[in-house]
Amino acid sequence: MELEEAIRTRRTHKAFRPEPLDRATLIALFELAEWAPNHHLSAPWRFRVVGPMALAALKQAAGPQAAPKLDRCPTLIACSADLTAVADQSDQAAIEEELHATACAAYIVLLAAHGRGFAGYWRTPEVAQTEPGRAALGINPGERFVGLLHLGRPAQLKSAPPRPAAASARISFLD
């Protein structure tokens, strides 16, 4: 799949077939994420594939209303930014750089999964901001949760929603 096609055709999917992604595929996706732009090549992203015990603990922490959303896909990946390499923790610019680099790495995983025919979506559930949720996901002190990536084989086809024209109010050329 060509890059522009992958960007234009990637969709958020919330219905998946039950087969999880295999370890070799996941490793290939994470290896691609290593190419995300990052300040001083710090590679702040941390990916954790959520197994059955971790998922049970996360669902417990989420509670009965939020837990069913965690069962939507066969492969869950917790993505966090390790901020411990930032020497001055009051340096908000450095922290932002690490968070944005991690977001780029997460998007590479989603886009590369799509390029291989898989579906996915990115969530930021509230439970991952809580101490029990962070513990279930293995997120250490000094790390900031960035997203929960849901990956699997799509159970449905999704069409592209209309997008605004590029010459919209979101673009400015400053001279």
Side-chain angles (χ1 to χ4, degrees):
M1 179 180 296
E2 291 294 322
L3 178 61
E4 285 189 34
E5 178 187 0
I7 291 168
R8 292 178 195 275
T9 60
R10 193 205 63 77
R11 297 286 157 264
T12 294
H13 288 263
K14 295 182 181 176
F16 299 88
R17 293 182 7 213
E19 314 84 37
L21 274 65
D22 62 79
R23 186 178 292 247
T25 298
L26 290 168
I27 289 170
L29 297 176
F30 300 145
E31 286 175 348
L32 285 171
E34 291 296 318
W35 292 95
N38 59 107
H39 193 63
H40 299 296
L41 299 177
S42 59
W45 45 84
R46 301 295 178 264
F47 295 108
R48 293 174 176 89
V49 180
V50 180
M53 290 176 56
L55 179 59
L58 186 62
K59 289 168 63 175
Q60 174 83 26
Q65 286 188 310
K69 289 184 177 182
L70 298 168
D71 282 328
R72 286 183 175 164
C73 78
T75 304
L76 282 176
I77 300 164
C79 180
S80 63
D82 182 354
L83 303 176
T84 59
V86 177
D88 178 0
Q89 288 293 305
S90 67
D91 185 350
Q92 289 304 304
I95 288 171
E96 289 295 315
E97 286 175 347
E98 301 294 63
L99 289 168
H100 296 312
T102 301
C104 287
Y107 186 67
I108 288 171
V109 169
L110 285 175
L111 198 58
H114 170 61
R116 288 166 167 74
F118 299 110
Y121 81 108
W122 180 332
R123 288 190 62 226
T124 52
E126 185 177 333
V127 66
Q129 305 293 343
T130 68
E131 284 307 313
R134 290 172 58 85
L137 294 172
I139 297 174
N140 300 313
E143 290 181 44
R144 178 125 18 119
F145 172 74
V146 171
L148 192 60
L149 307 180
H150 295 237
L151 297 176
R153 289 170 176 76
Q156 67 205 28
L157 294 176
K158 293 197 76 164
S159 300
R163 296 282 199 241
S168 70
R170 294 183 312 278
I171 300 170
S172 300
F173 293 91
L174 305 174
D175 295 326

